[in-house]
Amino acid sequence: MNTTMFVNRHISMNEADKKAMLEKVGVSGVDELISQTIPDSIRLEKELNISRALSEYEMLRHSKALASKNADFANYIGFGYNNTILPSAIKRNIFENPSWYTAYTPYQAEIAQGRLEALLNYQTVIANLTGFPLANASLLDESTAAAEAMSMFFGSRTREQKKNANKFFVSDLVLPQTVAVLKTKAEGLGIEVIVGNHKTHQFNENYFGVLLQYPGKNGIVLDYSEDIQSYKEHHLQVAVACDILALVKLKSPAEMGADCAVGTSQRFGIPMGYGGPHAAFFACKDDYKRDIPGRIIGVSQDAYGRRALRMALQTREQHIKRERATSNICTAQVLLAVMAGMYAVYHGPKGLQYIADQIHFKTNALAGALKALGYDVVEEPVFDTVKIRLHEDEKAKLTRMMRDRRINLNYFTEGVVSIAINESTTVNKLNYLVEGFANFKEKQAFKLELKEEYTIPSELLRKDEILTEEVFNKYHTETELMRYSKRLERKDLSLTHSMISLGSCTMKLNAATQMLPLSWGEWGNIHPFVPTEQAGGYQEMIRELEKDLSEITGFAGTSLQPNSGAQGEYAGLMVIRAYHAANGQGHRNIVLIPQSAHGTNPASAVLAGMKVVVCKNLENGEIDPADWQAKAEEHRDNLAAAMITYPSTYGFFDANIKEIIKVIHDNGGQVYMDGANMNAQVGYTSPGNIGADVCHLNLHKTFAIPHGGGGPGVGPICVAAHLVPFLPSNPNIKTGGKQALEGISAAPYGSALVLNISYAYIKMLGTEGLKKSTEHAILNANYLKEVLAEHYPILYQNENGRVAHECIVDFRQFKSLGIEVADVAKRLMDYGFHAPTVSFPVAGTLMIEPTESESKEEIDRFAEALISIKKEIDEIANGDMPADNNVLKNAPHTEQVVISDSWDKPYSREKAAYPLDWVRDHKFFASVSRVDEAYGDRNLVCTCEPIEAYM
């Protein structure tokens, strides 16, 4: 075996294991299995055209060569992105730590208490700085968070307003990328966005909300209190997009009377990364707790009354609400929120104030120097930005001179140049900057002296204390922070412990070689709005990744801008909408969606302004062709699209997919393919080959970007040639087609930093490796299905008895014994495993996906755990164990419970903790017993306790 080839590190499969698995499945080889799984009618006729597979060593050298093409300029652009300093203790112990980046979304709270605590810290920071009682666990970026606020306000209009109020006012001080994203979102929802002067605009009964920027896009700090009071007289809901670091010193949006605050936490130590990923924040009044988008971490208790955390109000999860959803957000930027929260923990209130003070003092010094040099400095209150007036011809000259000095300023606003100071701006850098401005005026430069005084009016400064909770006042040495983060880490189960076999979520290996470049400054320090020639490495990587993804999907073009799977769904539908409108068919607004679809599909459709028509699935799991045909023909005059997951969410390839797609095309619609299950297609078939028009890809699934405990993700869209002109753009850096959507995300290429991972994944696997990954995903799933089928019913398979990359195991027959599928999920924790996907797409089932990067040994161990649980269920069925007091109902068993003096269970401690011999060597104890979900929802607490609670 050539161990330098990445494919042999990615796929854990020796020939003996492979042979044994093929025998169990009942086929002579992989080719026979594939032919029985993927219909011949949709197979590719030629191999993918992907470049030669690189070894890991070659890939790292290639990444270094690309990185060297990104220019290391001093960036003072601002506009929502700033250079930061990521503390080494956070970089080493969290960002580069697979225990943090390979964990799954904390749906199973008992084995996610560490991440949940870190996210509770984050929520506490946001609630504290914004002044609102309620904050979520992060959103995708500032611009999409602002769009979520607009959408939330729209859904929260009074009964009277719902008759005619469809206008949303946006201050002209709001960042241009946010205005673009708002306009795209507004189009789908039927909202009219009006941009203007927040002081002079005249409001009437047609308005329902307002968005303000604090500080404004070029740095001005305004007290909006009186403005907001006047808006309230018109019954308007008010959101403020704000700078998290400025809020350390400035009066909070809540104190000014706003209803909601949004922004990005990027300034809390997160690299710019050419646009992301960064955790956006969203905080609001308690009135919106049933409407707030995304996830909230709440405090509850476990079965023994001990404090326990979990995701609160989970019925707001959009896959449950489906077409009644008010948001399609079903994810967060967890890893980045954890890092930003830890930044606040590490620095504490005094450290954050020092950082904010230094930025402000340097800003004042720069303003004073520019005045002394004769520049027309705009006199207005600022936190971190100096603004000078310059004619456009002077701006052009200054731009050239500063770029010769490897300095980027903000030239985006007509007649103005602005300079945003950041945490990494040293006095030496500032002196070099002033020297450049002096040279431009042909004057003598001078050294700056910082004065420690605030120039912001006192009424704009905070009067309250911030971050008084114990966690922000305790861990300020590296030793303390290291131990704290390690304590949290030990409470979480991740891929470092065992396989996480979540169907539809593809928890595969996130290889170290793919991850390493993310820590390099050459990738992290690039501002998303630098001229493209300064981002040569990014541009080359992005173009090549777009080309490879287009090749893999069989399409003509790709946009990497959508920064989550749900955003990809939404982007794909908005592109279809724009295509119909361009063809004079803008009335088309009906989307057909099968019952089996991902829940975000109908949510995304509603947000794109579509009406959802649900189509039936047959008992065998296939789309019902008669119902499909009938509904397509019934709505043919208004049919916009169909959304199809393929292979289906039921876990197999529908053999009649081409006919299903033809029905939509024959009736004037476009076909959107949900790429969640693309890892069963790569190299063997493709959405383009099947006949679809657009698909989104979950790069955090098929293409190996880590889940990071629930994010980051990337959800690019790939489209057929006729849809390429409509791919999304950005107001600051042009992307997309000639008839582009205004914007889907804040940054032109979305979460560009983590694109390195998928790029390396494809480049190291090459054509053959990508095909092998698909083969082994299918082999592992079918092997596990055959093993489990001897003990449990398997719900769906094709006519050959095959599943694709996942299988659905049915536990509903045990309800008569009082055993629910949730009991099985909790008992799996005692065996050291994270539960597969629970009760989706069918209630009472587990959807299991082993992925290609798991070994036969690990799959066997997982199967043995489920087989052992079946025996434990049989003990209840036989009357050997009481129905209400057994190992399943009491699971998971914590170490404290097992060693307790008051053990009173009708089974042994050993059975509880070590149900199989090998569990001893792999033991992972849940840190809390089963969490009481209802208690937490009745007593909603989503921030850390004040310090008094610890006294």
Side-chain angles (χ1 to χ4, degrees), residues 261-272:
V262 300
T264 173
S265 59
Q266 185 262 321
R267 292 196 85 158
F268 275 24
I270 311 302
M272 289 186 291

Side-chain angles (χ1 to χ4, degrees), residues 234-250:
H234 289 90
H235 307 290
L236 301 174
Q237 301 168 83
V238 182
V240 180
C242 39
D243 180 328
I244 191 171
L245 196 53
L247 289 182
V248 170
K249 303 304 292 189
L250 297 180

Side-chain angles (χ1 to χ4, degrees), residues 459-488:
E459 63 270 19
L460 272 166
L461 295 175
R462 308 188 76 102
K463 304 297 189 289
D464 56 326
E465 285 189 72
I466 61 167
L467 305 179
T468 58
E469 293 82 3
E470 184 187 45
V471 70
F472 304 112
N473 294 278
K474 192 173 182 181
Y475 306 110
H476 300 326
T477 69
E478 183 166 344
T479 305
E480 289 163 337
L481 187 82
M482 175 181 68
R483 287 174 183 157
Y484 177 57
S485 65
K486 185 59 70 172
R487 269 203 312 278
L488 298 189

Side-chain angles (χ1 to χ4, degrees), residues 415-427:
V416 165
V417 173
S418 57
I419 308 110
I421 305 304
N422 59 69
E423 181 187 10
S424 72
T425 307
T426 62
V427 173

Side-chain angles (χ1 to χ4, degrees), residues 434-473:
V434 170
E435 185 184 290
F437 276 108
N439 289 352
F440 186 70
K441 288 275 192 183
E442 298 181 347
K443 292 189 176 181
Q444 182 66 41
F446 49 85
K447 301 291 184 189
L448 297 183
E449 283 187 30
L450 299 192
K451 292 180 183 174
E452 297 195 356
E453 58 187 27
Y454 259 73
T455 57
I456 298 172
S458 61
E459 63 270 19
L460 272 166
L461 295 175
R462 308 188 76 102
K463 304 297 189 289
D464 56 326
E465 285 189 72
I466 61 167
L467 305 179
T468 58
E469 293 82 3
E470 184 187 45
V471 70
F472 304 112
N473 294 278

Side-chain angles (χ1 to χ4, degrees), residues 127-250:
N128 205 295
L129 294 179
T130 61
F132 289 109
L134 192 61
N136 70 17
S138 78
L139 292 176
L140 303 173
D141 60 38
E142 178 171 328
S143 299
T144 55
E148 290 292 330
M150 178 180 72
S151 179
M152 183 179 82
F153 288 171
F154 190 59
S156 302
R157 290 170 298 165
T158 65
R159 186 175 298 174
E160 191 62 32
Q161 283 178 322
K162 284 179 179 174
K163 293 175 186 174
N164 58 6
N166 73 330
K167 289 185 178 182
F168 187 71
F169 177 78
V170 179
S171 164
D172 55 14
L173 298 176
V174 169
L175 296 169
Q177 64 268 25
T178 297
V179 176
V181 171
L182 285 167
K183 285 181 175 177
T184 302
K185 189 70 167 264
E187 192 179 322
L189 294 170
I191 296 169
E192 187 180 351
V193 169
I194 307 294
V195 181
N197 185 306
H198 75 280
K199 280 282 186 196
T200 60
H201 189 76
Q202 298 297 306
F203 292 94
N204 58 34
E205 68 280 0
N206 298 130
Y207 287 85
F208 67 90
V210 172
L211 177 68
L212 306 168
Q213 188 89 39
Y214 180 62
K217 66 182 179 185
N218 291 117
I220 186 170
V221 178
L222 296 169
D223 187 345
Y224 291 114
S225 301
E226 290 184 9
D227 304 299
I228 291 172
Q229 192 176 343
S230 72
Y231 302 152
K232 291 295 175 186
E233 291 169 8
H234 289 90
H235 307 290
L236 301 174
Q237 301 168 83
V238 182
V240 180
C242 39
D243 180 328
I244 191 171
L245 196 53
L247 289 182
V248 170
K249 303 304 292 189
L250 297 180

Side-chain angles (χ1 to χ4, degrees), residues 77-79 176 217-218 395 409-418 527-531 731-733:
I77 299 170
F79 257 33
K217 66 182 179 185
N218 291 117
K395 266 173 77 171
L409 307 178
N410 186 320
Y411 309 102
F412 289 114
T413 307
E414 190 174 345
V416 165
V417 173
S418 57
H527 193 289
F529 303 145
V530 299
N732 304 316
I733 300 292

